[in-house]
Coordinates of all heavy atoms in Angstrom, one line a residue:
M1 N 99.3 96.7 119.0 CA 99.4 97.3 117.6 C 98.2 96.9 116.8 O 97.7 96.0 116.6 CB 100.7 96.7 117.1 CG 101.0 97.3 115.7 SD 102.4 96.5 114.8 CE 103.1 95.5 115.9
V2 N 97.7 97.9 116.0 CA 96.5 97.9 115.2 C 97.0 98.0 113.8 O 97.4 99.2 113.4 CB 95.4 98.9 115.6 CG1 94.3 98.7 114.6 CG2 95.0 98.7 117.0
I3 N 96.8 97.0 113.0 CA 97.2 97.2 111.6 C 96.0 96.6 110.7 O 95.5 95.6 111.1 CB 98.5 96.5 111.2 CG1 99.7 97.1 111.9 CG2 98.7 96.2 109.7 CD1 101.0 96.3 111.7
N4 N 95.7 97.3 109.6 CA 94.6 96.9 108.9 C 94.8 95.6 108.3 O 95.9 95.3 107.7 CB 94.4 97.9 107.7 CG 93.2 97.4 106.8 OD1 93.4 96.4 106.1 ND2 92.3 98.3 106.6
K5 N 94.0 94.6 108.6 CA 94.2 93.2 108.2 C 94.4 92.9 106.7 O 95.3 92.3 106.2 CB 93.0 92.3 108.8 CG 93.4 90.7 108.5 CD 92.1 90.1 109.2 CE 92.2 88.5 108.8 NZ 91.0 87.9 109.3
S6 N 93.4 93.6 105.9 CA 93.5 93.4 104.6 C 94.9 93.9 103.9 O 95.4 93.3 103.0 CB 92.3 94.0 103.9 OG 92.4 95.5 104.0
I7 N 95.3 95.0 104.4 CA 96.6 95.6 103.9 C 97.8 94.6 104.4 O 98.5 94.2 103.6 CB 96.9 96.9 104.4 CG1 95.8 97.9 104.0 CG2 98.3 97.4 104.1 CD1 96.0 99.3 104.7
T8 N 97.7 94.1 105.6 CA 98.8 93.3 106.1 C 98.8 92.0 105.2 O 99.8 91.5 104.7 CB 98.5 92.8 107.5 OG1 98.6 94.1 108.3 CG2 99.6 92.0 108.0
M9 N 97.6 91.3 105.1 CA 97.6 90.0 104.3 C 97.9 90.3 102.7 O 98.5 89.5 102.1 CB 96.1 89.4 104.3 CG 95.7 89.1 105.7 SD 96.8 88.0 106.5 CE 96.1 86.5 105.8
G10 N 97.6 91.5 102.2 CA 98.0 91.9 100.9 C 99.5 91.9 100.7 O 99.8 91.6 99.7
L11 N 100.2 92.3 101.9 CA 101.5 92.2 101.6 C 102.3 90.9 101.8 O 103.5 90.9 101.9 CB 102.1 93.3 102.7 CG 101.7 94.8 102.5 CD1 102.2 95.7 103.7 CD2 102.4 95.2 101.2
G12 N 101.4 90.0 102.2 CA 101.9 88.6 102.4 C 102.5 88.3 103.7 O 103.3 87.5 103.9
S13 N 102.0 89.1 104.6 CA 102.5 88.8 106.0 C 101.4 88.2 106.8 O 100.3 88.4 106.5 CB 102.9 90.1 106.7 OG 104.0 90.7 105.9
F14 N 101.8 87.7 108.0 CA 100.7 87.0 108.7 C 101.2 87.2 110.3 O 102.4 87.1 110.7 CB 100.7 85.6 108.4 CG 99.9 84.7 109.3 CD1 98.5 84.9 109.1 CD2 100.4 83.8 110.1 CE1 97.7 84.1 109.9 CE2 99.6 83.1 110.9 CZ 98.2 83.2 110.9
F15 N 100.2 87.4 111.1 CA 100.5 87.4 112.5 C 100.2 86.1 113.1 O 99.4 85.5 112.9 CB 99.5 88.4 113.2 CG 99.9 89.9 112.9 CD1 99.4 90.6 111.9 CD2 100.7 90.6 113.8 CE1 99.7 91.9 111.6 CE2 101.1 91.9 113.4 CZ 100.5 92.5 112.3
K16 N 101.2 85.8 114.0 CA 100.9 84.7 114.9 C 101.2 85.0 116.4 O 102.0 86.1 116.6 CB 101.8 83.4 114.5 CG 103.2 83.6 114.7 CD 103.9 82.3 114.5 CE 105.4 82.3 115.0 NZ 106.2 81.2 114.8
R17 N 100.7 84.2 117.2 CA 100.8 84.5 118.7 C 102.0 83.4 119.1 O 101.8 82.3 118.9 CB 99.6 84.4 119.4 CG 98.7 85.6 119.2 CD 97.5 85.5 120.1 NE 96.6 86.6 119.9 CZ 96.8 87.8 120.4 NH1 97.8 88.0 121.1 NH2 95.9 88.8 120.1
N18 N 103.0 84.1 119.7 CA 104.0 83.1 120.3 C 103.6 82.7 121.7 O 102.5 83.1 122.2 CB 105.4 83.6 120.2 CG 105.5 85.0 121.1 OD1 104.7 85.1 122.0 ND2 106.5 85.7 120.8
K19 N 104.4 81.9 122.3 CA 104.1 81.4 123.6 C 103.9 82.5 124.7 O 103.2 82.2 125.7 CB 105.1 80.4 124.1 CG 105.1 79.2 123.2 CD 106.2 78.1 123.7 CE 106.3 76.9 122.7 NZ 107.4 76.2 123.0
D20 N 104.5 83.5 124.5 CA 104.4 84.7 125.4 C 103.1 85.7 125.1 O 102.9 86.7 125.6 CB 105.6 85.5 125.5 CG 106.8 84.7 126.0 OD1 106.6 83.8 126.8 OD2 107.9 84.9 125.4
K21 N 102.3 85.2 124.0 CA 101.1 85.9 123.7 C 101.5 87.2 123.0 O 100.6 88.1 122.9 CB 100.2 86.2 124.9 CG 99.8 85.0 125.7 CD 99.0 84.0 124.8 CE 98.5 82.8 125.7 NZ 97.9 81.8 124.9
K22 N 102.8 87.4 122.7 CA 103.0 88.6 121.8 C 102.9 88.2 120.3 O 103.2 87.2 119.9 CB 104.5 89.0 122.2 CG 104.7 89.5 123.6 CD 106.2 89.8 123.8 CE 106.4 90.2 125.2 NZ 107.9 90.3 125.5
E23 N 102.5 89.3 119.5 CA 102.3 89.1 118.2 C 103.5 89.3 117.4 O 104.3 90.2 117.8 CB 101.2 90.0 117.5 CG 99.8 89.7 118.2 CD 98.8 90.5 117.5 OE1 99.2 91.6 117.1 OE2 97.5 90.0 117.4
E24 N 103.9 88.6 116.5 CA 105.0 88.7 115.6 C 104.5 88.6 114.1 O 103.5 87.9 113.9 CB 106.1 88.0 116.0 CG 105.8 86.4 115.8 CD 107.1 85.5 116.3 OE1 107.9 85.3 115.4 OE2 106.9 85.0 117.3
I25 N 105.4 89.2 113.2 CA 105.0 89.1 111.7 C 105.8 88.1 111.2 O 106.9 87.9 111.4 CB 105.3 90.5 111.1 CG1 104.4 91.6 111.6 CG2 105.2 90.3 109.6 CD1 104.7 92.9 111.0
V26 N 105.0 87.2 110.5 CA 105.6 86.1 109.7 C 105.5 86.3 108.3 O 104.4 86.5 107.7 CB 105.0 84.7 110.1 CG1 105.6 83.6 109.3 CG2 105.0 84.5 111.6
E27 N 106.6 86.4 107.6 CA 106.7 86.7 106.1 C 106.1 85.4 105.5 O 106.5 84.4 105.7 CB 108.0 87.3 105.8 CG 108.5 88.5 106.2 CD 107.6 89.6 105.8 OE1 107.1 89.6 104.6 OE2 107.3 90.6 106.6
S28 N 105.3 85.8 104.5 CA 104.8 84.6 103.7 C 105.9 84.2 102.6 O 106.5 85.1 101.9 CB 103.5 85.0 103.0 OG 103.1 84.1 102.1
H29 N 105.9 83.0 102.3 CA 106.8 82.5 101.1 C 106.0 82.2 100.0 O 106.5 81.7 99.0 CB 107.4 81.3 101.7 CG 106.3 80.2 102.1 ND1 105.6 80.1 103.1 CD2 105.9 79.0 101.3 CE1 104.7 79.2 103.2 NE2 104.8 78.5 102.0
I30 N 104.8 82.7 100.0 CA 103.8 82.5 98.7 C 103.7 83.9 98.2 O 103.0 84.8 98.7 CB 102.4 82.0 99.2 CG1 102.8 80.5 99.9 CG2 101.6 81.8 98.0 CD1 101.5 80.2 100.6
D31 N 104.1 84.1 97.0 CA 103.9 85.5 96.2 C 102.7 85.3 95.2 O 102.7 84.3 94.5 CB 105.1 85.7 95.5 CG 106.3 86.1 96.3 OD1 106.1 86.5 97.5 OD2 107.4 85.8 96.0
I32 N 101.7 86.1 95.3 CA 100.6 86.2 94.6 C 100.5 87.5 93.7 O 100.6 88.6 94.3 CB 99.3 86.0 95.3 CG1 99.4 84.7 96.2 CG2 98.1 86.0 94.5 CD1 98.3 84.5 97.1
N33 N 100.5 87.4 92.5 CA 100.4 88.6 91.7 C 98.9 88.8 91.3 O 98.3 88.3 90.4 CB 101.2 88.4 90.3 CG 101.0 89.5 89.3 OD1 100.3 90.5 89.7 ND2 101.7 89.4 88.2
N34 N 98.4 89.9 92.1 CA 96.9 90.1 92.0 C 96.5 90.9 90.8 O 95.4 91.0 90.4 CB 96.4 90.7 93.3 CG 96.0 89.5 94.3 OD1 95.1 88.7 94.0 ND2 96.5 89.5 95.4
D35 N 97.6 91.5 90.2 CA 97.4 92.2 88.9 C 96.9 91.2 87.9 O 96.1 91.5 87.1 CB 98.6 93.0 88.5 CG 98.8 94.1 89.3 OD1 97.9 94.6 90.1 OD2 100.1 94.6 89.5
D36 N 97.4 90.0 87.8 CA 97.1 89.0 86.7 C 96.0 88.0 87.3 O 95.5 87.4 86.4 CB 98.3 88.3 86.4 CG 99.3 89.1 85.7 OD1 98.9 90.2 85.2 OD2 100.5 88.9 85.6
C37 N 95.8 88.1 88.6 CA 94.6 87.1 89.1 C 93.3 87.4 88.5 O 92.9 88.6 88.4 CB 94.6 87.2 90.6 SG 93.4 86.2 91.3
K38 N 92.6 86.4 88.2 CA 91.3 86.6 87.7 C 90.2 87.0 88.7 O 89.1 87.1 88.4 CB 90.9 85.5 86.8 CG 91.5 85.3 85.6 CD 90.9 84.1 84.7 CE 91.4 84.1 83.4 NZ 90.9 82.9 82.7
G39 N 90.6 87.1 89.8 CA 89.6 87.6 91.0 C 88.6 86.5 91.2 O 88.7 85.3 91.2
L40 N 87.4 87.1 91.4 CA 86.4 86.4 91.8 C 85.8 85.3 90.7 O 85.1 84.5 91.0 CB 85.1 87.2 92.3 CG 85.5 88.1 93.5 CD1 84.3 89.1 93.6 CD2 85.6 87.2 94.7
D41 N 86.3 85.6 89.5 CA 85.9 84.7 88.3 C 86.6 83.4 88.4 O 86.3 82.5 87.6 CB 86.1 85.3 87.1 CG 85.1 86.6 86.9 OD1 84.1 86.5 87.6 OD2 85.4 87.4 86.1
C42 N 87.6 83.3 89.2 CA 88.5 82.0 89.3 C 88.4 81.3 90.6 O 87.4 80.5 90.8 CB 89.9 82.3 88.8 SG 90.9 80.9 88.9
G43 N 89.4 81.5 91.4 CA 89.4 80.9 92.8 C 89.8 79.4 92.8 O 89.6 78.7 93.7
K44 N 90.4 79.0 91.6 CA 90.8 77.6 91.5 C 91.9 77.2 92.6 O 91.9 76.2 93.2 CB 91.4 77.3 90.2 CG 90.4 77.3 88.9 CD 91.0 77.0 87.7 CE 89.9 76.9 86.7 NZ 90.5 76.8 85.4
C45 N 92.7 78.2 93.0 CA 93.8 77.8 93.8 C 93.3 77.7 95.3 O 93.7 76.8 96.1 CB 94.8 79.0 93.9 SG 94.3 80.6 94.3
V46 N 92.3 78.5 95.7 CA 91.7 78.5 96.9 C 90.9 77.2 97.1 O 91.1 76.5 98.2 CB 90.5 79.6 97.1 CG1 89.8 79.4 98.4 CG2 91.3 81.0 96.8
I47 N 90.3 76.6 96.1 CA 89.6 75.4 96.1 C 90.6 74.2 96.2 O 90.3 73.3 96.9 CB 88.6 75.2 94.9 CG1 87.5 76.3 95.1 CG2 88.0 73.9 95.0 CD1 86.7 76.4 93.8
A48 N 91.8 74.4 95.4 CA 92.6 73.2 95.3 C 93.5 73.1 96.4 O 94.1 71.9 96.7 CB 93.4 73.5 93.9
C49 N 93.7 74.0 97.1 CA 94.8 73.9 98.3 C 94.3 73.0 99.2 O 93.1 73.2 100.0 CB 95.0 75.4 98.9 SG 96.1 75.2 100.3
P50 N 95.1 72.0 99.6 CA 94.7 70.9 100.7 C 94.7 71.4 102.0 O 94.1 70.7 103.0 CB 95.5 69.8 100.3 CG 96.8 70.3 99.7 CD 96.4 71.5 99.0
N51 N 95.2 72.5 102.2 CA 95.6 72.9 103.6 C 94.9 74.2 104.0 O 95.2 74.8 104.9 CB 97.1 73.1 103.9 CG 97.7 71.7 103.8 OD1 97.3 70.7 104.4 ND2 98.5 71.4 102.9
N52 N 94.0 74.7 103.1 CA 93.1 75.9 103.3 C 94.0 77.2 103.5 O 93.7 78.0 104.4 CB 92.3 75.6 104.5 CG 91.1 76.5 104.5 OD1 90.6 76.9 103.3 ND2 90.4 76.7 105.5
V53 N 95.1 77.3 102.8 CA 96.1 78.4 103.0 C 95.6 79.6 102.4 O 95.8 80.8 103.0 CB 97.5 77.9 102.6 CG1 98.5 79.1 102.6 CG2 98.0 76.8 103.3
L54 N 94.9 79.6 101.3 CA 94.6 80.8 100.5 C 93.0 81.1 100.6 O 92.2 80.2 101.0 CB 94.9 80.4 99.0 CG 96.2 79.9 98.8 CD1 96.4 79.4 97.3 CD2 97.2 81.0 99.1
T55 N 92.8 82.3 100.5 CA 91.4 82.7 100.5 C 91.2 84.0 99.6 O 92.1 84.5 99.0 CB 91.0 83.0 101.9 OG1 89.5 83.2 102.0 CG2 91.6 84.3 102.5
K56 N 89.9 84.3 99.3 CA 89.8 85.6 98.6 C 89.5 86.8 99.6 O 88.8 86.6 100.6 CB 88.5 85.3 97.7 CG 88.5 84.2 96.6 CD 89.8 84.4 95.7 CE 89.6 85.6 94.8 NZ 90.6 85.8 93.7
D57 N 89.9 87.9 99.1 CA 89.7 89.2 99.9 C 89.1 90.1 98.8 O 90.0 90.8 98.2 CB 91.0 89.6 100.6 CG 90.7 90.9 101.2 OD1 89.5 91.2 101.5 OD2 91.7 91.4 101.9
G58 N 87.9 90.2 98.6 CA 87.3 91.1 97.5 C 87.9 90.3 96.1 O 87.7 89.1 96.1
E59 N 88.5 91.0 95.2 CA 88.9 90.5 94.0 C 90.3 89.8 94.1 O 90.9 89.3 93.1 CB 88.8 91.4 93.0 CG 87.3 91.8 92.6 CD 87.4 92.7 91.3 OE1 88.4 93.2 90.8 OE2 86.2 92.9 90.9
D60 N 91.0 90.1 95.3 CA 92.3 89.6 95.5 C 92.4 88.2 96.1 O 91.5 87.7 96.8 CB 93.1 90.7 96.3 CG 93.4 91.7 95.7 OD1 93.3 91.9 94.5 OD2 93.8 92.7 96.5
T61 N 93.4 87.5 95.8 CA 93.7 86.3 96.4 C 94.7 86.6 97.4 O 95.8 87.2 97.3 CB 94.2 85.2 95.4 OG1 93.1 85.1 94.5 CG2 94.4 83.9 96.0
V62 N 94.6 86.0 98.6 CA 95.5 86.3 99.8 C 95.8 85.1 100.5 O 95.2 84.1 100.5 CB 95.0 87.5 100.8 CG1 94.8 88.7 100.1 CG2 93.7 87.0 101.4
V63 N 97.1 85.2 101.3 CA 97.4 84.1 102.1 C 96.7 84.2 103.4 O 96.9 85.2 104.1 CB 98.9 84.1 102.4 CG1 99.3 82.9 103.1 CG2 99.6 84.0 100.9
R64 N 96.0 83.2 103.8 CA 95.3 83.1 105.2 C 96.3 82.8 106.2 O 96.3 83.5 107.2 CB 94.2 82.1 105.1 CG 93.3 82.1 106.2 CD 92.6 80.7 106.4 NE 91.8 80.3 105.2 CZ 90.6 80.6 105.0 NH1 89.8 81.2 105.7 NH2 90.0 80.2 103.9
N65 N 97.1 81.8 106.0 CA 98.0 81.4 107.0 C 99.2 80.6 106.5 O 99.1 79.5 106.1 CB 97.3 80.6 108.0 CG 98.1 80.0 109.1 OD1 99.4 80.3 109.2 ND2 97.6 79.4 110.1
P66 N 100.4 81.3 106.2 CA 101.4 80.6 105.6 C 102.1 79.4 106.4 O 102.8 78.6 105.7 CB 102.4 81.7 105.3 CG 102.1 82.8 106.5 CD 100.5 82.7 106.5
L67 N 101.9 79.5 107.6 CA 102.3 78.5 108.5 C 101.8 77.0 108.4 O 102.3 76.0 108.6 CB 102.2 78.8 110.0 CG 102.8 80.1 110.5 CD1 102.5 80.4 112.0 CD2 104.4 80.1 110.2
T68 N 100.5 77.0 107.6 CA 99.9 75.6 107.4 C 100.2 75.2 106.0 O 99.8 74.1 105.5 CB 98.5 75.8 107.5 OG1 97.9 76.8 106.6 CG2 98.0 76.2 109.0
C69 N 101.0 76.0 105.2 CA 101.4 75.5 103.7 C 102.3 74.4 103.9 O 103.3 74.5 104.7 CB 102.0 76.8 103.1 SG 102.6 76.3 101.4
K70 N 102.1 73.4 103.1 CA 103.2 72.2 103.0 C 103.9 72.3 101.7 O 104.5 71.2 101.4 CB 102.3 70.9 103.0 CG 101.3 70.8 104.4 CD 102.2 70.9 105.7 CE 101.2 70.7 106.8 NZ 101.9 71.2 108.2
H71 N 103.9 73.3 101.0 CA 104.9 73.4 99.9 C 104.6 72.5 98.8 O 105.6 72.1 98.2 CB 106.3 73.3 100.3 CG 106.8 74.6 101.1 ND1 107.5 75.6 100.8 CD2 106.5 74.6 102.6 CE1 107.7 76.4 101.9 NE2 107.1 75.9 102.9
C72 N 103.4 72.0 98.6 CA 103.1 71.1 97.7 C 102.9 71.6 96.3 O 103.0 71.0 95.2 CB 101.7 70.3 98.0 SG 100.2 71.4 97.8
K73 N 102.6 72.9 96.2 CA 102.7 73.8 95.0 C 101.6 73.3 94.0 O 101.6 73.7 92.7 CB 104.0 73.5 94.2 CG 105.3 74.1 94.9 CD 106.4 74.4 94.2 CE 107.6 75.0 95.0 NZ 108.6 75.5 94.3
V74 N 100.6 72.8 94.5 CA 99.3 72.5 93.8 C 98.7 73.8 93.3 O 98.1 74.0 92.1 CB 98.2 71.7 94.6 CG1 96.9 71.8 94.0 CG2 98.8 70.4 94.9
C75 N 98.7 75.0 94.1 CA 98.2 76.1 93.7 C 99.0 76.7 92.6 O 98.3 77.4 91.6 CB 98.3 77.2 94.9 SG 100.0 77.4 95.5
E76 N 100.4 76.6 92.7 CA 101.0 77.0 91.4 C 100.6 76.4 90.0 O 100.6 76.9 89.1 CB 102.6 76.7 91.7 CG 103.3 77.8 92.2 CD 104.9 77.5 92.0 OE1 105.3 76.8 91.2 OE2 105.6 78.1 92.8
A77 N 100.5 75.0 90.3 CA 100.2 74.2 89.1 C 98.8 74.4 88.6 O 98.7 74.4 87.3 CB 100.3 72.8 89.3
I78 N 97.9 74.7 89.4 CA 96.5 74.8 88.9 C 96.2 76.3 88.5 O 95.3 76.5 87.6 CB 95.5 74.4 89.9 CG1 94.2 74.1 89.4 CG2 95.3 75.6 91.1 CD1 93.2 73.4 90.2
C79 N 96.9 77.4 88.7 CA 96.8 78.7 88.4 C 96.9 78.9 86.8 O 97.9 78.7 86.3 CB 97.6 79.6 89.0 SG 97.2 81.3 88.6
P80 N 95.7 79.3 86.1 CA 95.8 79.4 84.7 C 96.7 80.7 84.3 O 96.9 80.8 83.1 CB 94.3 79.4 84.2 CG 93.7 80.1 85.6 CD 94.4 79.5 86.7
N81 N 96.8 81.5 85.3 CA 97.6 82.8 84.9 C 99.0 82.9 85.4 O 99.6 84.0 85.4 CB 96.7 84.1 85.2 CG 95.6 84.2 84.4 OD1 95.5 83.6 83.3 ND2 94.6 85.0 84.8
D82 N 99.4 81.8 86.0 CA 100.9 81.8 86.5 C 100.9 82.9 87.6 O 102.0 83.7 87.7 CB 101.9 81.9 85.5 CG 102.0 80.7 84.6 OD1 101.7 79.7 85.2 OD2 102.2 80.9 83.3
C83 N 100.0 83.1 88.5 CA 100.0 84.3 89.5 C 100.6 83.8 90.7 O 100.9 84.8 91.5 CB 98.5 84.6 89.7 SG 97.6 85.2 88.4
I84 N 100.9 82.6 91.0 CA 101.4 82.2 92.2 C 102.8 81.6 92.2 O 103.0 80.7 91.3 CB 100.4 81.2 93.1 CG1 99.0 81.7 93.1 CG2 100.9 80.7 94.3 CD1 98.1 80.9 93.8
V85 N 103.6 81.9 93.1 CA 105.0 81.4 93.1 C 105.2 81.0 94.7 O 105.1 81.9 95.5 CB 106.0 82.3 92.7 CG1 107.5 81.6 92.9 CG2 105.9 82.7 91.3
V86 N 105.5 79.7 94.9 CA 105.7 79.3 96.3 C 107.2 79.2 96.4 O 107.9 78.4 95.6 CB 105.0 78.0 96.6 CG1 105.3 77.3 98.0 CG2 103.5 78.1 96.4
N87 N 107.8 79.8 97.2 CA 109.2 79.9 97.3 C 109.7 79.0 98.4 O 109.0 78.5 99.2 CB 109.7 81.3 97.5 CG 109.4 82.4 96.6 OD1 110.0 82.3 95.5 ND2 108.6 83.3 96.9
Ligands
SF4_1 S1 101.9 75.1 98.1 FE1 100.2 73.7 98.6 S2 99.7 73.9 100.7 FE2 100.8 75.7 100.1 S3 99.3 77.2 99.5 FE3 99.9 76.0 97.6 S4 98.4 74.4 97.5 FE4 98.2 75.3 99.6
SF4_2 S1 94.1 80.2 90.5 FE1 95.3 82.0 89.9 S2 94.0 83.4 88.8 FE2 92.8 81.9 89.9 S3 92.3 82.9 91.8 FE3 94.1 81.7 92.2 S4 95.7 83.3 91.7 FE4 93.9 84.0 90.8

């Protein structure tokens, strides 16, 4: 299955490979409001995340890998615009 990676990540989904080498979609528990995100001028959440979960995709902030998130909510706390909610 071929799906545009940026669109997929923008929707908060993530692909992982299971033991049978089949891909499955893992829904992200991290909601990012990129309408309010300051984009490339900020990036505080990306830098602050201790598990390298978040990254920039152009001006958007996206979830790189929700499976490595430890629910510490540092990203939520540091965001100056309340753009991130960790469920
Ligand atoms: S909750 Fe913690 S580990 Fe998860 S994305 Fe935010 S800062 Fe990273
Ligand atoms: S901390 Fe908030 S405003 Fe800054 S890049 Fe992250 S989501 Fe965007």
Side-chain angles (χ1 to χ4, degrees):
M1 177 184 354
V2 177
I3 296 179
N4 182 296
K5 183 180 178 184
S6 64
I7 293 174
T8 304
M9 297 301 277
L11 293 173
S13 299
F14 175 73
F15 284 92
K16 73 171 185 178
R17 291 188 180 276
N18 64 20
K19 292 177 182 175
D20 298 326
K21 304 296 183 188
K22 294 178 182 174
E23 289 184 336
E24 60 184 276
I25 295 175
V26 178
E27 291 298 323
S28 174
H29 57 284
I30 305 166
D31 293 330
I32 302 173
N33 179 355
N34 273 303
D35 289 337
D36 292 339
C37 174
K38 285 186 176 177
L40 295 175
D41 292 337
C42 180
K44 291 181 178 179
C45 58
V46 175
I47 295 168
C49 176
N51 296 301
N52 205 24
V53 175
L54 306 171
T55 189
K56 299 301 294 186
D57 182 7
E59 292 190 349
D60 289 345
T61 301
V62 297
V63 178
R64 185 201 310 265
N65 184 354
L67 299 176
T68 59
C69 175
K70 303 301 182 192
H71 298 254
C72 67
K73 300 196 175 189
V74 167
C75 55
E76 259 191 33
I78 204 166
C79 180
N81 286 348
D82 296 326
C83 298
I84 303 180
V85 176
V86 180
N87 297 298

